[in-house]
Amino acid sequence: MSESTDATDAAADRTGQTAPAADSADRTDSADPADAADAADPVDPAGQIAAGYAFTGPALDLGALLWDGACLPDRQIRIPLAMLNRHGLVAGATGTGKTKTLQLIAEQLSANGVPVFLADIKGDVSGITAPGTPGERIDERARDVAQSWEPTGFPGEFYSLGGIGPGIPVRSTVTAFGPVLMSKVLRLNQTQEQSLALIFHYADTKGLELIDLKDLRAVVAFLVSDQGKAELKGIGGLSTVTAGVILRALTAFEAQGATEFFGEPEFDTGEFLRTAADGRGVVSVLELPSVQDKPQLFSTFLMWLLADLYNDLPEVGDLDRPKLVFFFDEAHLLFNGASKAFLQSVTQTVRLIRSKGVGVFFVTQTPKDVPADVLGQLGNRVQHALRAFTPDDAKALKATVRTFPHSAYDLEELLTGLGTGEAVVTVLSESGAPTPVAATRLRAPQSLMGPIGAAGLERAVHASLLWSRYAEPVDRESAYERISAEQAAAEAQAEAAAAAAEAEEQAKAAEKESTRADGRGAPKSEPSLAEQVVGSGLFRSLARSIGTQLGREISRSVFGTARRRR
C-alpha cells in the first residue's frame, strides 16, 4: 500500500474518522490514462484503480475512491461524457442513496448542455430545479471527496401522464401509438394482433381518426355489426370472438388509467431535447406519484416514448456527448408483470436507440429487477449497498457480485458494508472497455435533495411556456363521433322508411275499405288472426322500438363507457 494510504489510515486511527489522503488541486481533466497507469505504483492497488478513471475528454465527477477503509480525495472516480449513451444501472437497497446519485449525474449532464429526462415515481427529485441547502453534512461530504460545493438549481420542466397529477399533460393519440404497441400493452396473441392491425388499416383508409380509446372501441364494434361486417371481408374479416377479446382488454386497460393518456393535444417528445438560454440542458421531470400503482400505464408510456424518439431522431453514431439521457426510477415497477412481448420491445429499443444519441439509465433495488437481456445492454454501473438479511437476499447478493468484472475488493463483504452515499462503480472507458471496480464515496448534489413543495411545483408548471400548448384537452370530431352520427342517421332513415311503409299500408287498407263500401269489387277473404297481428302497425312499431332500444344499449356500452379527461 502507498505511503499516502498509510498516512490516511494513521489519521483515521487518531481521529476515529475518515481523513482525506491528499489535496486534489493538481488533478486535471486532460490527464493521459496511459501516463497515469505508468505512474501508478504497481504494488498500489488504489493507484491502479484510479488510473483506470483518468480520462482525457470531458467526464462527470462521481466521487472519491474508497480503499482500505479510507476515502482518497486525490483518486477521483469519473464517467466519460461520451459513454453516457451506452446506458447504465443505478441499484441498491432502499435508503442507500440511489435517487441522490441519479440527481448528481443529472445535474452534471445539464451543466454540460445535455438534456435529461427523469421519471420520478416517488415525487422526490423535483428539487433539482432549486438550489440545495448548505449544512454540516454537506460540508463534511465535500471535504471528504474534494468537491467545491455550491447551491445550484437547474432548468427544468414538470410533466404528468395525461394530466394525472401536477405537471404539463403528456398525451398520445391511438393512431400515433399504433397497432404494434397497442397489441403489446393489451397482451394480445398473434392472431389478435393481426386483427388489430386490420382495424387500424381500415380506420386509416376510411379517414377515421383514432384519437382516444373510445374511437378504437367504436371502430371495433362497428366492424362486427350487421352494417360493418362486410367492410373487412375481402382482407380476412374480424371475428366477433376476437373483437370481444380486444374490447375486454381495452376495458382492463382503461381501468389502469389509460383513458387519460390517450387524446389531444398530442405531446411532441422533441420537447425533451431542449436546452436553456444559458446552454444548460433542460431537466424534464415526469411526476408519477399518482400512477405508481398503475404499472401498465407507466409501461405504456415508456414504450411509446422510446419508440417515438427512436422513430423521430436521425442516426448519429457516437457523439462527444449524448443528445438526451433519461432515467427511470423504481424500474422494478416497470418490469413487474410485464409481458414477454413488452420485454422484447424494451430490449430491442434500448439496444438500438444508442445510435440515436440517447442513453437510458434504470434505477432499481437489485440488478435482478432488470431482465437479463436488458441488463446486458447497460455498460455503466453504480451499485449501492445491498442487504443480506434473508436467504433470498444472500442469493441476490452473490448474483450481483458475479455481474462485476474481476475486482481487488471482496465484493460480497464490501456491498453489505457500504454507507449511505457510497457505491461500487464500474463504467465504460473512452475506448469502450470496462473500468476497474471502484468503491466510491459519492459527491453531494448541488440542488435541493427533496421535493420543492406542492405550491412551488404548481407555480413552475403554470409558468412554463408549454402549459398553454398542452394543458387543455381537445375533443374534436374523430372516429367515435363519425360512427355515432352515421348510426343515428341510419336509425332515422330506417324509422322514416318504416313510417312511410306503414302509411302506405294504411292508405291501401283505407282504399280497399272504401271500395268494399261502394260495392265496386268482389269481397276478398279475410286475413288470418296471425296475419292481422303481424301486419298491424302496432306490431311493427313495437318491433322497431325494441330494435332501436337494443341498438342504443349496444351503443352506450361500446361507445359511451370511455370518458374524456374531467
Side-chain angles (χ1 to χ4, degrees), residues 3 69 96 106 110 129 134 154 185 189 222 249 269 319 325 331 346 350 356 410 427 431 443 470 475 509:
E3 294 179 0
T96 56
S110 175
T129 59
F154 295 82
V185 298
N189 62 31
F222 170 74
T269 53
L319 302 173
V325 176
V346 172
V350 169
K356 304 297 184 88
D410 180 345
V427 301
S431 64
R443 293 183 169 219
Y470 295 108
D475 191 8

Side-chain angles (χ1 to χ4, degrees), residues 190-200 237-239 242 246:
Q190 184 176 0
T191 300
Q192 295 156 359
E193 181 176 347
Q194 292 169 348
S195 296
L196 187 62
L198 282 179
I199 294 167
F200 273 76
L238 177 66
S239 74
T242 298
I246 293 173

Side-chain angles (χ1 to χ4, degrees), residues 30-44:
S30 60
D32 189 326
D35 293 342
D38 292 340
D41 186 340
V43 296
D44 177 15

Side-chain angles (χ1 to χ4, degrees), residues 460-485:
V461 169
H462 286 86
S464 171
L465 297 177
L466 300 181
W467 176 254
S468 60
R469 188 180 308 171
Y470 295 108
E472 288 300 319
V474 177
D475 191 8
R476 61 184 175 89
E477 182 182 80
S478 50
Y480 169 74
E481 287 78 15
R482 285 187 56 184
I483 291 176
S484 298

Side-chain angles (χ1 to χ4, degrees), residues 371-544:
D373 289 342
V374 177
L375 190 63
Q377 305 299 317
L378 312 181
N380 302 296
R381 298 276 299 277
V382 180
Q383 176 67 60
H384 288 263
L386 291 174
R387 309 302 181 211
F389 298 142
T390 68
D392 286 344
D393 290 342
K395 185 177 179 181
L397 174 63
K398 291 182 181 294
T400 298
V401 169
R402 288 197 298 268
T403 65
F404 281 92
H406 176 72
S407 170
Y409 297 94
D410 180 345
L411 287 180
E412 283 195 37
E413 180 180 351
L414 178 62
L415 286 173
T416 55
L418 291 171
T420 301
E422 297 177 346
V424 172
V425 174
T426 180
V427 301
L428 294 181
S429 69
E430 292 165 311
S431 64
T435 58
V437 175
T440 307
R441 180 162 296 166
L442 298 167
R443 293 183 169 219
Q446 294 178 292
S447 57
L448 182 64
M449 290 186 281
I452 60 175
L457 180 58
E458 194 75 14
R459 284 194 300 271
V461 169
H462 286 86
S464 171
L465 297 177
L466 300 181
W467 176 254
S468 60
R469 188 180 308 171
Y470 295 108
E472 288 300 319
V474 177
D475 191 8
R476 61 184 175 89
E477 182 182 80
S478 50
Y480 169 74
E481 287 78 15
R482 285 187 56 184
I483 291 176
S484 298
E486 290 176 6
Q487 182 189 41
E491 286 185 357
Q493 186 177 3
E495 291 283 350
E502 183 176 347
E504 184 179 353
E505 288 291 327
Q506 290 176 350
K508 287 180 179 180
E511 182 180 354
K512 290 178 181 179
E513 186 65 30
S514 176
T515 301
R516 186 178 295 118
D518 293 343
R520 295 191 300 270
K524 296 185 178 179
S525 61
E526 293 292 330
S528 67
L529 178 60
E531 290 173 331
Q532 292 180 48
V533 172
V534 172
S536 69
L538 177 61
F539 179 84
R540 288 196 296 272
S541 177
L542 179 61
R544 284 195 308 275

Side-chain angles (χ1 to χ4, degrees), residues 291-351:
V291 296
Q292 61 178 308
D293 60 339
K294 301 177 175 65
Q296 191 174 0
L297 179 61
F298 179 38
S299 300
T300 302
F301 172 77
L302 170 65
M303 293 177 68
W304 169 71
L305 174 60
L306 290 179
D308 196 70
L309 285 168
Y310 179 75
N311 289 333
D312 288 351
L313 292 175
E315 292 279 345
V316 294
D318 291 325
L319 302 173
D320 60 351
R321 67 192 63 214
K323 299 178 71 172
L324 172 71
V325 176
F326 58 95
F327 298 81
F328 291 95
D329 198 2
E330 301 294 327
H332 65 279
L333 295 176
L334 170 67
F335 295 111
N336 279 354
S339 67
K340 182 178 181 181
F342 168 74
L343 297 179
Q344 290 173 343
S345 178
V346 172
T347 303
Q348 182 179 15
T349 306
V350 169
R351 181 184 298 119

Side-chain angles (χ1 to χ4, degrees), residues 117 119 121 160-165 170-172 174 177 181-182 184-187 213 249-250 252-263 286-306 328 333-339 342 346:
F117 171 87
I121 292 286
S160 63
L161 287 187
I164 305 175
V170 176
R171 304 183 186 90
S172 170
V174 172
F177 201 72
L181 290 182
M182 186 62 73
K184 293 188 188 310
V185 298
L186 296 182
R187 302 181 183 181
L213 292 180
L250 284 172
F253 192 33
E254 288 171 329
Q256 285 280 318
T259 304
E260 305 287 346
F261 174 55
F262 291 99
L286 180 68
E287 293 295 326
L288 293 171
S290 301
V291 296
Q292 61 178 308
D293 60 339
K294 301 177 175 65
Q296 191 174 0
L297 179 61
F298 179 38
S299 300
T300 302
F301 172 77
L302 170 65
M303 293 177 68
W304 169 71
L305 174 60
L306 290 179
F328 291 95
L333 295 176
L334 170 67
F335 295 111
N336 279 354
S339 67
F342 168 74
V346 172

